[in-house]
Amino acid sequence: VGYQSQEDEPTDTEVILREGPETTDEFRVIEDVVDYVRRTDATTLLTFGGTWFDVPVLRGRAEITAETADIGRERLERVHRALDSLFHADLKQGVYRVFDGGSLEETAEKVGDKPPETFWDVYCHDLDPAETRRMFDDGPWDNPNDSEFYNKDMLFFGDHFLKTREDPSKSVPRRALYKMIHEYTRTDITPMFDIADDGRFDGLATWCLGMDI
């Protein structure tokens, strides 16, 4: 997550990771996002494709995990109230208008600089995503052995990160995975504010998440 008080101000970034495999760990991550929103006093949620992913996932997983782990209605309602208080601006809709489509990385490069790349093979974790990548027909990699870390790789590396929690022998790869995931996530945040600040995205539609549209 990230926060920018106004255009040209420095962007505050915070990477929030799920620390374990339990359902309560997942709900806690969602609460951490809500706490960040409240702490920064944010008014607008800026996403890239969040209309179809981020917002439905936050709400849906909050409902499912709260019920599965018997979290309690009060904590769940707190999540919904925080989301309902925000306006939402989805950059992906502006990208279709300005550039006729494109990924976050492609759009960031068109408005300024391409986000820094993260390479999974320079971290000490002894993992290789090649086999999992072959399951995707639409992967962004040039080939399954491509050393760049892509969004779809989060399924593979994130799963291994969660599995290392209870195994002390995995402390070194866990730290490496944490550092790699942290770096990749952080470099995806700032470019969104750069895109939003580009004059061609002026007038981007926003709507209140607490309203049915």
Side-chain angles (χ1 to χ4, degrees):
V1 290
Y3 176 74
Q4 188 182 60
S5 58
Q6 57 186 4
E7 187 176 342
D8 297 327
E9 286 292 317
T11 301
D12 171 76
T13 61
E14 183 173 324
V15 178
I16 300 172
L17 296 181
R18 178 177 173 176
E19 290 296 330
E22 302 300 327
T23 306
T24 51
D25 294 315
E26 183 177 358
F27 190 83
R28 193 170 296 115
V29 166
I30 298 172
E31 286 187 310
D32 287 343
V33 172
V34 167
D35 289 341
Y36 183 86
V37 168
R38 293 181 181 277
R39 189 167 69 250
T40 58
D41 217 14
T43 58
T44 301
L45 177 67
L46 184 67
T47 69
F48 195 93
T51 304
W52 303 277
F53 184 77
D54 304 71
V55 174
V57 166
L58 279 172
R59 289 194 187 277
R61 293 307 301 174
E63 289 279 352
I64 292 171
T65 54
E67 180 178 355
T68 303
D70 196 22
I71 295 294
R73 198 71 197 175
E74 183 177 343
R75 289 171 66 184
L76 176 61
E77 289 299 330
R78 181 174 177 271
V79 170
H80 284 311
R81 285 196 302 272
L83 294 175
D84 287 346
S85 70
L86 296 171
F87 285 88
H88 180 209
D90 189 343
L91 289 171
K92 189 71 172 179
Q93 298 189 10
V95 170
Y96 283 115
R97 172 173 57 84
V98 177
F99 297 123
D100 197 26
S103 68
L104 172 63
E105 292 78 12
E106 290 168 340
T107 306
E109 190 170 8
K110 289 175 181 176
V111 304
D113 297 319
K114 183 180 179 180
E117 298 168 332
T118 301
F119 295 95
W120 58 263
D121 61 347
V122 301
Y123 293 87
C124 300
H125 49 63
D126 296 327
L127 296 174
D128 188 337
E131 184 174 345
T132 300
R133 285 177 168 183
R134 292 189 179 96
M135 298 169 55
F136 294 99
D137 296 325
D138 58 345
W141 36 78
D142 295 328
N143 66 74
N145 297 309
D146 187 344
S147 62
E148 185 175 347
F149 189 115
Y150 295 94
N151 182 269
K152 289 184 185 242
D153 291 324
M154 192 64 78
L155 293 171
F156 174 78
F157 288 115
D159 181 57
H160 280 278
F161 174 73
L162 295 179
K163 289 177 179 177
T164 61
R165 184 188 188 192
E166 304 300 332
D167 187 350
S169 69
K170 300 293 185 182
S171 60
V172 172
R174 181 174 173 81
R175 287 196 298 269
L177 287 169
Y178 178 89
K179 186 176 180 180
M180 179 182 66
I181 294 171
H182 184 281
E183 181 61 21
Y184 171 77
T185 305
R186 186 189 62 77
T187 59
D188 253 11
I189 296 172
T190 303
M192 290 202 293
F193 292 96
D194 295 335
I195 295 169
D197 289 343
D198 187 278
R200 289 168 288 185
F201 285 81
D202 288 350
L204 184 67
T206 62
W207 61 94
C208 180
L209 289 176
M211 297 177 61
D212 293 325
I213 58 173

